[in-house]
Amino acid sequence: MSLAVSEYCPDCQARLVTDLSEAPWCPVCLWNLAAFEPADDPHILDRLSRRIAYRDTIATFERLRMTVGVPEVSRSRYLLTAISAVLLLATVGLAGLGVWLCLRSFPNWWIVPGAFCLAVAWAMRPRSNKLDEYAQVVEASAAPTLHALIDRVAAAAGTPRPQVVVTDPSFNTASGVVGLFRRRRVLAIGTALWIGLEPQERVALLAHEFGHFSNENPHRRLGARPALTVLYALADMTRPQFRPGVHPSPLDRVAYLLLSPLHKLLELADIGVYAIAMRESQRAEYRADAVAARIAGRDGMAALMEKGVNGESLVTVVTSKARAREFTPEKVRPAVREAMARLAPRSAHRRQLTIRAEMSLFASHPPTGLRVRLIEEAAGAAAQVACPEAESARIDMELAGVYEKARRDVARFE
């Protein structure tokens, strides 16, 4: 029996992928891959932003494929810095004006607009990330082998080692800088991810995070923080709303009419700045990937990213082990290997599907499938830092208590 015409690509006549998504796509020319799922029912603005994001993301990927290089810092970095500088000057100016008005011939009615200026300046104050109070700090004395590996990877990346290493139960790993004046580099290791990784994949994971310290992701740069936080704070502060259960008075209605245009303007400005920042953030991810591939070797980094492609399936595997009280490397890692072997035959199609699922104008990361493909197509090189199986096993022994504490939280994953 011949296949229906609808099962073939209208552009290149290749057979469509129909069993991984409700919206089929062509695995050869990628026809319809940018489409939304039928159940999404997107707004016209969502369609427009998806079209812009798809064009920019694919163009960046193809440019990197052709040049086999690392994306340079774009002009958007300088634009974010300029916006931050303007907002910072406006904050200082408002604070100074507020103080002057409050102290001018004190006391008098000028204290009212002065207090208003000070309140706005306080809302616009520079903000910084904070260390999660529930994060579990891993001291070098408790995990010397882990910290020694961190030191070697940081040295290979050419960046100072993090001052604080913490763990949490997530299927993720992150790095950042906390504190406004006392800037401390923090590495957060998600135990649900770490426990199932092979030794060289762990090197790749650390190297990728340290790559962010060296290439200055927008979220980590102090010079970009005002642009990413001040406009959002002002938009939230001017959000007009009526008090629940209270009939709005004429004054409430007037305030609503006056605040609505200002709120919308600030909200649009915040969305625009955030979209610009996320474009630069995606380039920073590619730069961090290149650092990780150089330090851990191309194969180690590609294997790590392949697990990112199949993240949902692996979360299910790890969660099941936690619920069965088998949340140990000896139990989790073989289960992860088995799952990856089972998923391997459809790996290419799942990589392509990430382009649809992870495509957004506001996504901080490029689609995982594109990242894996770029790594695999790059020239191979030997790893600069190796983590033998014995060393990885010693790290697991040091983190045995951490795994046990995280098990209950991991078991609650949906």
Side-chain angles (χ1 to χ4, degrees):
M1 180 180 295
S2 61
L3 294 170
V5 176
S6 60
E7 294 184 8
Y8 291 97
C9 174
D11 290 346
C12 70
Q13 303 307 310
R15 186 172 182 175
L16 301 178
V17 179
T18 59
D19 59 338
L20 293 180
S21 171
E22 293 183 25
W25 78 91
C26 176
V28 178
C29 69
L30 304 186
W31 171 85
N32 205 44
L33 188 58
F36 286 90
E37 296 288 353
D40 288 344
D41 189 24
H43 188 274
I44 186 173
L45 293 179
D46 294 327
R47 292 182 182 276
L48 177 61
S49 66
R50 170 69 73 92
R51 190 176 298 116
I52 295 173
Y54 188 86
R55 184 170 60 247
D56 180 78
T57 302
I58 297 299
T60 299
F61 170 75
E62 293 296 341
R63 185 165 58 250
L64 291 173
R65 284 187 65 202
M66 296 298 295
T67 59
V68 195
V70 178
E72 297 180 354
V73 177
S74 67
R75 286 175 291 182
S76 61
R77 171 178 177 176
Y78 306 108
L79 178 59
L80 288 172
T81 303
I83 294 173
S84 293
V86 170
L87 291 172
L88 191 59
L89 288 174
T91 303
V92 173
L94 273 174
L97 178 61
V99 171
W100 181 74
L101 290 174
C102 288
L103 298 180
R104 182 186 181 190
S105 302
F106 181 84
N108 59 45
W109 68 273
W110 285 105
I111 195 173
V112 176
F116 176 78
C117 289
L118 288 174
V120 175
W122 176 255
M124 296 174 63
R125 71 190 184 280
R127 291 171 173 81
S128 168
N129 293 324
K130 296 181 179 180
L131 184 64
D132 187 346
E133 60 179 320
Y134 299 107
Q136 183 176 351
V137 177
V138 181
E139 300 289 354
S141 57
T145 311
L146 172 62
H147 279 264
L149 177 61
I150 289 173
D151 288 341
R152 299 205 316 271
V153 175
T159 183
R161 60 158 290 135
Q163 287 110 326
V164 183
V165 178
V166 301
T167 61
D168 60 56
S170 69
F171 193 83
N172 189 25
T173 295
S175 60
V177 181
V178 300
L180 186 60
F181 300 105
R182 185 190 174 193
R183 307 281 287 168
R184 293 187 298 164
R185 293 176 299 278
V186 177
L187 171 68
I189 299 174
T191 52
L193 173 61
W194 180 268
I195 195 172
L197 295 181
E198 302 296 334
Q200 208 57 27
E201 293 169 358
R202 292 177 171 182
V203 175
L205 189 68
L206 295 175
H208 175 83
E209 296 304 327
F210 294 158
H212 283 306
F213 287 133
S214 61
N215 68 49
E216 295 191 328
N217 183 292
H219 291 288
R220 294 167 174 79
R221 285 198 303 114
L222 187 60
R225 292 297 298 173
L228 297 175
T229 60
V230 171
L231 290 173
Y232 175 82
L234 290 176
D236 186 63
M237 185 177 68
T238 57
R239 187 186 308 278
Q241 54 187 351
F242 294 126
R243 290 169 292 178
V246 179
H247 184 72
S249 66
L251 184 60
D252 289 332
R253 296 183 184 277
V254 171
Y256 187 91
L257 291 175
L258 292 176
L259 284 176
S260 290
L262 178 59
H263 168 72
K264 289 296 182 184
L265 181 63
L266 289 170
E267 192 174 47
L268 287 174
D270 178 54
I271 290 173
V273 169
Y274 192 78
I276 293 172
M278 292 306 97
R279 295 294 94 190
E280 176 57 29
S281 179
Q282 291 201 7
R283 292 175 175 83
E285 289 298 328
Y286 281 126
R287 292 194 291 271
D289 287 348
V291 172
R294 171 175 59 83
I295 294 174
R298 184 187 63 181
D299 293 343
M301 183 56 183
L304 173 66
M305 296 308 304
E306 192 67 43
K307 288 184 175 177
V309 170
N310 298 285
E312 290 186 8
S313 298
L314 297 187
V315 167
T316 301
V317 171
V318 174
T319 302
S320 66
K321 288 297 180 182
R323 291 172 180 170
R325 298 180 179 273
E326 297 180 343
F327 194 64
T328 63
E330 294 77 16
K331 296 292 185 179
V332 174
R333 199 184 299 173
V336 169
R337 290 175 188 152
E338 181 181 346
M340 290 299 295
R342 186 176 64 254
L343 296 167
R346 303 300 305 279
S347 177
H349 290 166
R350 286 192 175 87
R351 290 184 189 182
Q352 291 178 342
L353 187 57
T354 64
I355 299 176
R356 172 183 294 166
E358 300 174 13
M359 183 70 68
S360 171
L361 195 61
F362 308 104
S364 60
H365 291 58
T368 310
L370 295 181
R371 296 169 64 188
V372 179
R373 187 175 172 187
L374 196 64
I375 292 168
E376 288 187 338
E377 292 182 359
Q384 295 182 1
V385 175
C387 179
E389 187 69 45
E391 181 180 9
S392 182
R394 288 197 301 273
I395 292 174
D396 286 329
M397 291 178 60
E398 295 170 354
L399 297 180
V402 173
Y403 295 153
E404 181 56 31
K405 288 182 180 179
R407 182 185 60 78
R408 292 184 180 180
D409 291 323
V410 176
R412 288 195 289 266
F413 284 1
E414 295 295 334

